[in-house]
Amino acid sequence: MMRFLLLFSRQGKLRLQKWFMPMSEREKKKIIRDMTTMVLARQPRTCNFLHWKDLKIIYKRYASLYFCLAVESQENELLALEIIHRYVELLDKYFGNVCELDIIFNFEKAYFILDEFLMGGEIQETSKQIVNRSIEASDMLQEGDNSEWYEVELFG
Amino acid sequence: MPAPIRLRELIRTIRTARTQAEEREMIQKECAAIRSSFREEDNTYRCRNVAKLLYMHMLGYPAHFGQLECLKLIASQKFTDKRIGYLGAMLLLDERQDVHLLMTNCIKNDLNHSTQYVQGLALCTLGCMGSSEMCRDLAGEVEKLLKTSNSYLRKKAALCAVHVIRKVPELMEMFLPATKNLLSEKNHGVLHTSVVLLTEMCERSPDMLAHFRKLVPQLVRILKNLIMSGYSPEHDVSGISDPFLQVRILRLLRILGKSDDDSSEAMNDILAQVATNTETSKNVGNAILYETVLTIMDIKSESGLRVLAINILGRFLLNNDKNIRYVALTSLLKTVQTDHNAVQRHRSTIVDCLKDLDVSIKRRAMELSFALVNGNNIRGMMKELLYFLDSCDPEFKADCASGVFLAAEKYAPSKRWHIDTIMRVLTTAGSYVRDDSVPNLIQLITNSVEMHAYTVQRLYKALLDDISQQPLVQVASWCIGEYGDLLVSGQCEEEEPIQVTEDEVLDVLEGLLVSNLSTPVTRGYALTAIMKLSTRFSSVNRIKKVVSIYGSSIDVELQQRAVEYNALFKKYDHMRPALLERMPIMEKTATNGPTEIVQTNGETEPSVVEAKHPPPVTQPANQANDLLDLLGGNDVVPVIQTTMPTKPASAGGELLDLLGDLSLSGAPAPAPAPSVPTSQPSFLLDGLSSQPLFNDIAAAGIPPMTAYSKNGLKIDFTFERANPNPNIAVITIHASNSTEADMTDFVFQAAVPKTFQLQLLSPSSNVVPALNQGTVTQVIRVLNLQKQQLRMRIKLTYTHKGSPVQDLAEVNNFPPQSWQ
């Protein structure tokens, strides 16, 4: 299973954190520090895999964002790269040419999309279209709520 | 109270902060506003406020005061609220918090909600962070949803079930019925999560594994359809249909096929098909191939398939993509034990990877290279590995050096090559060599008897160049101390002997003592080496001076040694030659690796070896006294252990004990060691075999003799001269038994007149087999400084046919050459 997924900028600012196993705040902070240090220190043309404790770390940079996925040792690293790529594609489809700012200002949406793609450290849905449709439908439900209020977009 | 600002606005504002302090101020202000808003129990803006809190939490600020608010949101009827509430719960709450359990009821209700997206939220939250109690409470609901026809919910329920099983394994059984027709789903999401669920169950329970083996044909069919089916836009990734599902199925097949011939056979064809038909131009195809290879290697596949798998890995090694090369090396490392020959074929490619720029790849390549070294390729491989050692990063050097030593020890084609390799490592990576390598290397060097002169010469030359690498310096000091006489005598056969005087050698060693580069341990080695040279060199006065200087050294270890060596010069000068004579070959403890030998300055202290000793005789002291009585009192001294070259600082205390013992040697003291192997490993090289130690050193042609022959027990003595000290005679006893019953608990004891000193080493065993089927051998070393006629009293005890036997005898028929 996957253990955690982190998104951070080139300056090490955290943009998203998904934990698939319970951990204390202190442990999470330490892991975030370790990951950002390790990944940002990597040379440009090295492979995308690292070892950290008993986990495999797969990371990939998309524009200004680093995607860092930690998996258990029996997982397939090459497929983990595909998982990261699929998530980026989903974000891209939803936001249209997604960039870091989209994820900063709409972080909750990024989480919602992730929660339709992965769950409990495993892949939940392998079809891009189905994930997108679920998100759109949920968004519609949300709008159904909001139409009672004069603010159409509660989240700005 | 003005409406709380919107989330986006807050984000925009916070991003304008130019310093950390400014940001903190904004956040504190907003948190205060949010707190008062929470206090007002405002339903309208709760959602917005929690969302802002989550943003601030991501920046690293505390947000625990929002936990209860998340629960309130979850309980709300609005979907918007629930969405944020569940997200907040997943981010802020985990099973360590008490409030966590309050969610249970909400989740239960939402699991039965009329809207599937609400049910989905509940399943997701439960499946991500449900505690064991929650899982227990809600497992029934999950199981129900696992049987629904709604594929959206079914796939989430499956993963939720996986989480429940991980948290509460006992609940696994209840999900079994629901798995019945999971695989007949067309929906890929459900299929994928079902395979995950089945995998989890099979991994946790052998019964489940056996039960689900019948699914192999179905899984094979699904996989086949995926491969053969045409383009499916919904699941296509670079021309491959649903690679995620393919990989997952391959993994489940791996688990099902492991150790099961029938299942393995059933999946043989499909594996071959996947292996040959998958597109390898993109990462996704290689991901599937990788998983296929792992599966082939784990199940009971036929050899053709295994070779195919290794060849795929071999092709991976040549791929431009670093990730693929890395993955290939990792997999080859896993298979190198089982499919050694197949992997050997790719050896040259693997060795090329040592030159890769990527650190992870280099490390894997190094590990794999060491695994591939064997007697045939040792020379070539070692060349590459030594080149790698020269140029690699410091983080690799220690491991590489250890690996080189191990490989060299196992497969060295010649002693000279071995020594040369050791030298190369010490000189190029000397400071990275592990501490435990030093004693191991010393032991190796002592064993290569004919190379002593060559070794000490090379080490000496290396010292002249560089004294900064401590392991090299330590080994070199030890060797110079031991073989310094060979060094100055210019005896080297292997290469041009160098001209070096005793003073030059002592200069070098003294240089080590004063150098800032030397660690305390190294200084200890150097001092002991100088001391040892006092019996090998003639410049004894110079050595005495050095030793006495260090008697007042600040370093306690060094001081202790120097004081003891001084004592050796003053009070025990007659013991000095025996104490400091050449070390015999050290035998390694049989089963354990090099690290088991705890050596300090060249002495073995194998506590392990004690297990090999026969059980010590109960009252050695008394028996020694018995011998004394028989021989008429003070005529004879019971056997004492002569000490070997003095131990360094860490055993300094014992050295003092030894000197204490020696002072008692006149009296029939019980303290001196009995004539059977003692539990005092400190001074003896207990690990020595009892075979004659100096076979290759010319025996003076002393004829053997029969010392004792009675009741079927015969004891023969054979003789060697110890080199370089001609005053020591080495006698090997050979005990044989011509009766029909074994002689067990056999113990041989000996006593000599006071003018002699005797050392008894451990016997080869304590059972003399019947009918001359074997002999027990034991080595006796006799120091005969006064050149008197050798006499010996021996005592034999053993058990024969159930009854104990004891006998005493005097041995007077020693050939004159043995003591003259």
Side-chain angles (χ1 to χ4, degrees), chain B residues 245-264:
Chain B
L245 182 57
Q246 287 195 36
V247 165
R248 223 46 230 243
I249 292 179
L250 284 165
R251 212 162 116 184
L252 181 55
L253 285 176
R254 178 153 85 240
I255 295 170
L256 294 175
K258 199 170 186 163
S259 340
D260 188 85
D261 291 321
D262 293 330
S263 307
S264 301

Side-chain angles (χ1 to χ4, degrees), chain A residues 36-81:
Chain A
T36 45
T37 321
M38 261 172 42
V39 170
L40 292 173
R42 288 286 274 183
Q43 300 296 326
R45 270 186 301 273
T46 51
C47 70
N48 297 74
F49 309 135
L50 285 168
H51 267 273
W52 183 80
K53 303 208 176 158
D54 59 334
L55 300 177
K56 295 187 199 178
I57 310 292
I58 297 96
Y59 72 93
K60 192 148 182 192
R61 183 163 84 83
Y62 286 86
S64 58
L65 265 183
Y66 280 94
F67 287 69
C68 176
L69 181 62
V71 303
E72 288 175 350
S73 50
Q74 76 269 25
E75 298 289 331
N76 184 327
E77 299 98 312
L78 298 179
L79 197 73
L81 280 171

